[in-house]
Amino acid sequence: MTVIQAAPLVRTADREHGDRRWSILVLLCVSLLLITVDATVLHIAVPALTAALEPSAVQLLWIIDIYSLVVAPLLIMFGTLGDRYGRKRLVLCGYVLFGLASAGAAFAPTPLTLILARALLGIGGAMIMPATLSLIRQIFTDRRERAIALGVWSAVAAAGAAVGPLIGGVLVGIWWGAVFLINVPILLALIPAAVRLLPDSPGRKDRGWDGPSAVLSVLGILALAFGLKEAGSGSLMPLWASVLVFLTGLGLLFLFVRRQTRLRHPLLEVGLFRRREFTTGVAGVLLGVFALVGLQLMLAQYLQLVLGDSPLRAAIRMLPLVISAISGGLAAAHILPRIGMRTTMSGGLGLVALSLTPTLSWGVEGHPVMLAFCFVGIGFGVQVALLAASDTIMSAASESQAGGAAAIEETAYELGAGLGVAVLGTITAVVYAPGLHSVPGVSASGMDKARQSLAGAAHVAHEVGGSAGGALLDAARWAFVNALHTTVVVSVVLLSLTAVAVATLLSRD
């Protein structure tokens, strides 16, 4: 009799444990969505924000960029702190800080106040992000289930960045501060749910925590990211100074790595990079996000500045990318066990390269159907590759290394996004300026302003008016399209080479 009753009790316990596991995944994905959306939500809100606070050009740059510049260097530090003191505690602290910073940003009276609030948002986001991956590694011990969970996670990570402008376009119609204030009620619901659902991961206080290593990693990645962004924009310093900052960042990271190899309990297990699978996975994440975010920005400009779409319409037309990214992440969880990591990752990157190729024949005319197909291929291919890369990274790390491995992956996400915008944006600017030749009826100073950007050319064309203004706008649009073609060629070549490298380096599984 006892045996007969025990079996259903065991099945019930397993079922409840499984339900709790997936509920935790939903909680972690909502947390991740808040963080990734905040990275791009201001792209649409800039005009309304500018009208309300009247920031200078440099202040506006900092308002937009400070979030990512703060998140990237802090991920490794908070990832290892979560391993040492407990991930649940760190997530809850991150929720509180993120909520307070969101409220402060929404009601910021000056540009400087908003910059500081955005920096605090970055700190809160960096406290939450590493725990989302390492908790998945802790909770989903079955590799097949973990692949599904990682597929959902990576889909949310990419979809958040893609849907950010759409959310911003809707909320800014109410009030520019709503893009931040919307976070507060969501976090008020997440905090009690996290207290009840998240497991208490065991801390490792027996391991030392090296402060100088944390300083080297933060300053090194911050200098690296800042140098890359400045090399792309050149808004605060000349190119040589940007290169010097970048090289300084590399030097600090070299000292950081060297220090880790000599510590008994390093802040970061650099030995993970000796594993070919781990290093290849990190490279796959870096280049996958490079393509997704960089090309998303370029194609969004194409929609708005060449085809004349409004910001909201452009965001809506990019919805196929969001939907395919989510679908790709979910589908890849089933594809990965069947064809292996090597084929999944290299095939995903190859699909992105193939989907970009039709854009090389486009001009200033619209291609709505083909554009949708291209977005579907880009979103699906990137997500398939990212899931395989994420599974490779987390499988190569032990439970005790999960926080550090997750922090490395998410740092690769942030640096990939920064590289994509900086590198592809720089290529576009370098090709666009000399491609815009003088137009009769437009002054030399007007042409100089028009060569700075397509948006600048549109402003000059509006001021000049008449046939000369129309001719300038047409010429600027064609110059931008030619620059976009160059950017796409670079992306296709880079993605193709990476797909070949992945197929060569990863072992057959």
Side-chain angles (χ1 to χ4, degrees):
M1 185 68 178
T2 303
V3 175
I4 294 175
Q5 290 178 340
L9 287 175
V10 171
R11 287 195 297 269
T12 301
D14 290 341
R15 186 162 56 250
E16 289 175 352
H17 181 67
D19 291 343
R20 183 170 179 266
R21 189 162 63 245
W22 296 107
S23 297
I24 292 172
L25 177 63
V26 172
L27 174 69
L28 296 176
C29 286
V30 173
S31 307
L32 179 67
L33 187 65
L34 286 178
I35 298 166
T36 53
V37 163
D38 252 58
T40 57
V41 72
L42 280 187
H43 291 180
I44 299 295
V46 164
L49 187 154
T50 302
L53 299 183
E54 299 182 354
S56 66
V58 173
Q59 287 174 329
L60 185 59
L61 172 73
W62 277 105
I63 289 171
I64 295 172
D65 284 354
I66 191 64
Y67 180 81
S68 296
L69 284 175
V70 168
V71 169
L74 293 178
L75 289 173
I76 291 176
M77 185 181 76
F78 283 126
T80 53
L81 278 176
D83 286 344
R84 177 172 167 77
Y85 295 107
R87 296 155 193 158
K88 179 176 181 178
R89 183 182 304 175
L90 199 65
V91 168
L92 291 174
C93 291
Y95 283 163
V96 173
L97 181 58
F98 202 87
L100 292 174
S102 295
F107 296 103
T110 65
L112 179 59
T113 308
L114 182 54
I115 291 170
L116 294 176
R118 289 275 288 169
L120 290 177
L121 276 170
I123 297 173
M127 295 172 73
I128 300 167
M129 280 189 73
T132 61
L133 261 185
S134 53
L135 282 170
I136 287 174
R137 175 66 174 81
Q138 175 185 339
I139 296 165
F140 292 91
T141 54
D142 179 77
R143 185 163 184 178
R144 183 179 295 272
E145 284 191 347
R146 187 170 69 239
I148 296 173
L150 288 173
V152 175
W153 183 94
S154 59
V156 170
V163 81
L166 177 61
I167 295 175
V170 173
L171 293 177
V172 76
I174 304 171
W175 167 50
W176 71 266
V179 300
F180 299 114
L181 197 60
I182 190 66
N183 295 335
V184 176
I186 297 174
L187 287 163
L188 288 176
L190 287 179
I191 290 174
V195 171
R196 182 172 59 89
L197 290 175
L198 291 185
D200 291 311
S201 56
R204 296 176 58 87
K205 295 184 180 179
D206 57 308
R207 299 189 61 177
W209 192 79
D210 188 56
S213 295
V215 173
L216 285 173
S217 67
V218 170
L219 294 181
I221 297 179
L222 183 59
L224 194 72
F226 184 79
L228 284 170
K229 287 179 177 290
E230 271 304 297
S233 63
S235 57
L236 298 177
M237 59 180 66
L239 180 61
W240 66 267
S242 302
V243 173
L244 182 61
V245 171
F246 178 81
L247 294 176
T248 300
L250 286 179
L252 291 173
L253 291 178
F254 173 78
L255 293 176
F256 168 76
V257 172
R258 186 178 180 183
R259 184 176 180 85
Q260 303 315 292
T261 61
R262 298 179 178 182
L263 291 175
R264 182 180 179 184
H265 299 297
L267 183 68
L268 180 68
E269 296 286 351
V270 294
L272 286 170
F273 286 97
R274 297 191 185 99
R275 303 174 189 176
R276 180 182 296 181
E277 291 81 4
F278 183 85
T279 303
T280 305
V282 172
V285 168
L286 184 74
L287 293 170
V289 177
F290 176 101
L292 178 66
V293 176
L295 291 169
Q296 177 194 352
L297 179 62
M298 297 302 107
L299 291 172
Q301 291 184 53
Y302 175 80
L303 290 174
Q304 295 182 67
L305 301 176
V306 176
L307 300 186
D309 288 350
S310 66
L312 182 57
R313 176 175 169 79
I316 292 173
R317 289 184 67 178
M318 295 181 76
L319 274 178
L321 187 146
V322 179
I323 296 171
S324 64
I326 296 172
S327 302
L330 297 175
H334 301 283
I335 296 172
L336 181 60
R338 290 174 171 79
I339 66 176
M341 287 183 290
R342 182 177 71 168
T343 306
T344 303
M345 196 187 310
S346 60
L349 294 172
L351 177 60
V352 179
L354 183 65
S355 301
L356 283 170
T357 304
T359 64
L360 295 174
S361 63
W362 295 356
V364 297
E365 70 282 356
H367 299 269
V369 176
M370 183 57 68
L371 181 66
F373 276 110
C374 289
F375 279 149
V376 168
I378 292 170
F380 191 89
V382 166
Q383 279 310 112
V384 166
L386 286 180
L387 173 65
S390 183
D391 188 65
T392 302
I393 291 170
M394 299 310 292
S395 298
S398 64
E399 170 64 26
S400 62
Q401 298 169 326
I408 292 172
E409 178 175 351
E410 287 158 337
T411 302
Y413 265 88
E414 292 297 324
L415 291 182
L419 277 169
V421 173
V423 174
L424 297 184
T426 299
I427 292 172
T428 302
V430 167
V431 177
Y432 166 78
L436 181 56
H437 303 294
S438 297
V439 175
V442 181
S443 65
S445 61
M447 289 304 306
D448 290 338
K449 185 175 181 179
R451 291 188 179 102
Q452 293 178 11
S453 67
L454 181 53
H459 180 71
V460 174
H462 179 72
E463 289 182 340
V464 172
S467 59
L472 173 61
L473 189 56
D474 287 341
R477 284 173 173 167
W478 276 108
F480 181 85
V481 168
N482 292 332
L484 179 62
H485 289 169
T486 304
T487 303
V488 170
V489 168
V490 172
S491 300
V492 168
V493 171
L494 184 60
L495 288 164
S496 300
L497 291 176
T498 305
V500 173
V502 167
T504 303
L505 293 174
L506 281 184
S507 59
R508 186 184 298 273
D509 49 358

